[in-house]
């Protein structure tokens, strides 16, 4: 659970805020500087969103700065495509880095010089053991490691070999630069970790200028120091690496120096947030791509219609802690509904149409009803909705043999059409298979606008669209991508894809929407009254082929959970 709110700021007082408050009060720092350091080898997901909101949010809150720094130290997997997608995602979430966009590759020359300095201090050496031999020499948690036979080379020999590594004299895997720390250290990370390796691969920024590249643990802490980062915030999997982070900075005697703090990564039920597993979903075509609206990628939730404000609010509510836990995805969906309830215009859309003929409505007559886009918010404006003799209603709004508490349309029953008229079902038309294909109803002209003056009570109100004026639309109904609360919990011999939800996507091709929807731009979210929130697909929806993705249903399971918790 989140910690109590700070009475002054109204925001959750988590442990990183407490650390910053203490550092400022003690005069350790005067200006807060954070960074978001993604590796450009894939698309960002909700776990990254938590880190983005934390790092950029802290900078905003404390009038500090947050750098966007790409950790481009592994050219084998990186691409400019990912750089651009990451920048788009950060901007979409509402944050900006001004002129503080950096790359680890900006510092390759400085990082090389730092490595040379470690060699001169006798704290690094060039090793010729193979990767397999290095693993064998490192030992285990219960068995100490042993020194490489190349560990005691002279400073001069190491400098020469390292320079020749840079010059490209050696093949990949034949030489690495390792820190000289302690092969018997209980923390395996400190058993002479690799600092540089040979990669004869073209880099997306530096081309072929380099054939040796720093390891993340070496480049990351030094990049923080170069940029003057004060609080280097990362997830808990790096807690064992913090001693190496400190060793590099302390050995090079850098001051002032950054400090690393770890927080628990985001875990969501019914969701996987592993980049490797998300890649598998895409490559094996379980989804249509990285931006499939079922994916927990930022591009996926953006295409589904999630508001950036809702994601920021979600990240604030779950707060930051040091303990791993799993967050109920219902909370994220609740934040989405809360946001859209205030911003999404209301329109009429029928997903599973059933034709209604109003037999006593003149064939040549049409009405136009002015309806608000948002009840109780005049600033949202209105639109004109045409009405005619033939309309569509939702098929599940009619029941031939209705139970007593069914307040929608049934034979002989009267209902209200939203903002239009009262109608009564007089006749049910069926096909040769007994399927209901049409209803014949009568209307009361005195109830124009959807109200009567005689005081009679009508409990059911239905949404509708005019057959003549409505537009065809394709609607995609999305559910959780996984049917299991913990997708990683599987039977022996299976993998997480065995928990994929076969009903995660339902495509409806015969939907009808009111004419005003044609003016909606791709990416715009509206509420189809009584049906949910829907987003005009940013890739495929056009005025001539409307495509809507269901962002969220109207049913709020999180509100129900919270209500039950209070009982």
């Amino acid at each position: 659970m989140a910690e109590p709110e700070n009475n002054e700021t109204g925001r959750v007082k988590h442990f990183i805020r407490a650390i910053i408050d203490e550092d400022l009060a003690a005069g350790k720092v005067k200006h807060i500087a954070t960074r978001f350091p993604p590796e450009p080898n894939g698309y960002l997901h909700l776990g990254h969103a938590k880190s983005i909101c934390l790092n950029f949010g802290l900078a905003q809150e404390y009038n500090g700065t947050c750098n966007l720094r790409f950790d481009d130290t592994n050219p084998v997997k990186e691409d400019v495509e990912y750089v651009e997608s990451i920048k788009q995602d950060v901007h979409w979430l509402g944050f900006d880095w001004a002129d503080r966009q950096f790359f680890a590759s900006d510092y390759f020359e400085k990082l090389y010089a730092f490595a040379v300095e470690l060699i001169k201090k006798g704290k690094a050496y060039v090793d010729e053991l193979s990767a397999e031999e290095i693993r064998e020499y490192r030992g285990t948690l219960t068995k100490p490691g042993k020194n490489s036979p190349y560990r005691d080379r002279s400073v001069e020999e190491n400098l020469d070999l390292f320079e020749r590594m840079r010059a490209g004299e050696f093949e990949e895997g034949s030489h690495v630069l390792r820190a000289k720390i302690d092969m018997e250290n209980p923390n395996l990370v400190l058993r002479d970790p690799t600092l540089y390796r040979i990669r004869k691969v073209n880099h997306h920024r530096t081309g072929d200028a380099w054939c040796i590249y720093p390891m993340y643990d070496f480049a990351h802490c030094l990049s923080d120091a170069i940029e003057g980062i004060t609080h280097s915030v990362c997830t808990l999997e790096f807690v064992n690496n913090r001693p190496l982070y400190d060793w590099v900075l302390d050995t090079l005697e850098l001051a002032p120096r950054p400090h690393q703090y770890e927080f628990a990564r985001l875990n969501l039920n019914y969701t996987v947030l592993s980049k490797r597993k998300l890649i598998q979903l895409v490559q094996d075509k379980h989804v249509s791509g990285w931006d499939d609206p079922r994916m927990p990628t930022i591009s996926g939730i953006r295409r589904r219609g999630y508001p950036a404000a809702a994601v920021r609010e979600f990240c604030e509510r779950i707060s930051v802690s040091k303990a791993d836990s799993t967050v109920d995805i219902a909370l994220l969906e609740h934040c989405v509904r809360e946001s859209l309830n205030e911003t999404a215009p209301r329109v009429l859309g029928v997903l599973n149409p059933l034709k209604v003929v109003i037999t006593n409505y003149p064939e040549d007559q049409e009405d136009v009803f002015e309806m608000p886009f948002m009840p109780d918010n005049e600033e949202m404006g209105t639109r004109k909705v045409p009405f005619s003799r033939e309309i569509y209603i939702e098929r599940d709004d009619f029941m031939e043999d209705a139970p007593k508490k069914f307040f929608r349309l049934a034979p002989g029953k009267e209902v209200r059409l939203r903002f239009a008229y009262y109608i009564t079902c007089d006749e049910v038309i069926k096909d040769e298979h007994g399927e209901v294909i049409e209803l014949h109803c009568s209307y009361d002209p005195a109830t124009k606008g959807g109200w009567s003056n005689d005081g009679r009570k009508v409990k059911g109100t239905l949404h509708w669209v005019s057959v003549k004026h409505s537009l065809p639309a394709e609607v995609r109904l999305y559910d959780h991508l996984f049917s299991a609360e913990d997708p990683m919990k599987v039977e022996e011999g299976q993998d997480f894809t065995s928990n994929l939800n076969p009903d995660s996507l339902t495509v409806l091709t015969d939907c009808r929407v009111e004419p005003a929807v044609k003016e909606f731009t791709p990416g715009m979210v509206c509420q189809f009254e009584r049906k949910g929130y829907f987003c005009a697909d940013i890739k495929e929806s056009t005025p001539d082929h409307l495509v809507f993705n269901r962002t969220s249903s109207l049913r709020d399971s999180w509100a129900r959970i919270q209500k039950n918790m209070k009982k």
Side-chain angles (χ1 to χ4, degrees), residues 211-243:
C211 63
I212 58 170
Y213 292 94
M215 301 296 289
Y216 172 84
D217 285 326
F218 183 67
H220 180 66
C221 59
L222 291 173
S223 298
D224 283 349
I226 291 167
E227 294 175 11
I229 302 303
T230 58
H231 296 78
S232 181
V233 184
C234 59
T235 47
L236 278 177
E237 61 261 39
F238 293 101
V239 68
N240 288 333
N241 298 55
R242 189 187 343 133

Side-chain angles (χ1 to χ4, degrees), residues 350-352 473-477 506-511 534 548:
V350 176
L351 305 189
N352 190 7
E474 177 181 316
V475 172
R476 298 164 182 173
L477 305 178
T506 301
V507 179
L508 306 178
T509 57
D510 297 321
C511 307
F534 293 81
F548 284 88

Side-chain angles (χ1 to χ4, degrees), residues 213-447:
Y213 292 94
M215 301 296 289
Y216 172 84
D217 285 326
F218 183 67
H220 180 66
C221 59
L222 291 173
S223 298
D224 283 349
I226 291 167
E227 294 175 11
I229 302 303
T230 58
H231 296 78
S232 181
V233 184
C234 59
T235 47
L236 278 177
E237 61 261 39
F238 293 101
V239 68
N240 288 333
N241 298 55
R242 189 187 343 133
L244 177 56
Y245 184 103
D246 293 337
W247 181 90
V248 172
L249 297 176
D250 293 341
T251 303
L252 289 168
E253 302 178 89
L254 297 180
R257 49 155 292 178
H259 291 269
Q260 177 176 302
Y261 304 94
E262 305 86 13
F263 67 97
R265 62 182 296 168
L266 174 63
N267 297 301
L268 276 175
N269 58 5
Y270 299 101
T271 311
V272 296
L273 292 175
S274 158
K275 187 181 292 186
R276 180 172 57 84
K277 291 178 174 56
L278 294 178
I279 289 173
Q280 182 180 338
L281 291 174
V282 174
Q283 291 180 341
D284 293 349
K285 301 189 183 305
H286 294 295
V287 293
S288 61
W290 286 98
D291 63 351
D292 187 302
R294 293 167 293 179
M295 288 280 276
T297 53
I298 296 178
S299 56
I301 63 174
R302 181 166 64 243
R303 187 175 175 188
R304 186 161 173 171
Y306 279 24
V311 179
R312 294 195 301 270
E313 178 63 20
F314 169 71
C315 291
E316 177 64 25
R317 290 193 188 188
I318 62 176
S319 191
V320 177
S321 72
K322 296 181 181 181
D324 271 324
S325 62
T326 299
V327 178
D328 195 325
I329 197 171
L331 174 57
L332 172 61
E333 294 164 346
H334 172 74
C335 292
V336 169
R337 290 187 190 91
E338 271 195 335
S339 179
L340 292 177
N341 185 53
E342 300 296 325
T343 60
R346 275 55 167 171
V347 294
L348 302 178
V350 176
L351 305 189
N352 190 7
L354 175 60
K355 188 176 181 181
V356 173
V357 178
I358 305 173
T359 55
N360 63 332
Y361 190 93
E363 292 188 28
D364 59 349
Q365 180 176 319
E366 290 182 6
D367 280 302
V368 176
F369 296 104
E370 189 164 349
M371 303 185 188
F373 276 119
M374 179 77 74
D376 305 321
N377 186 352
E378 294 181 358
E379 294 182 2
M380 290 284 288
T382 62
R383 83 281 188 194
K384 297 183 184 301
V385 182
F387 181 88
S388 61
R389 188 171 189 264
E390 296 182 348
I391 63 172
Y392 289 122
I393 65 170
E394 289 288 351
R395 186 167 291 274
D396 61 8
D397 276 341
F398 171 78
M399 187 175 290
E400 189 171 13
D401 298 313
K404 185 176 181 180
K405 292 189 176 181
F406 183 79
F407 298 122
R408 287 168 280 177
L409 196 59
K413 182 170 285 190
E414 186 177 50
V415 297
R416 175 189 295 106
L417 297 177
R418 180 87 161 135
F419 289 108
Y421 293 103
Y422 290 1
I423 63 170
T424 302
C425 181
D426 302 317
E427 184 180 2
V428 180
I429 310 300
K430 301 180 181 180
D431 62 14
E432 63 273 20
H433 304 293
E435 180 78 17
V436 176
I437 58 173
E438 188 173 291
L439 303 178
H440 287 182
C441 298
S442 55
Y443 87 117
D444 181 352
T447 60

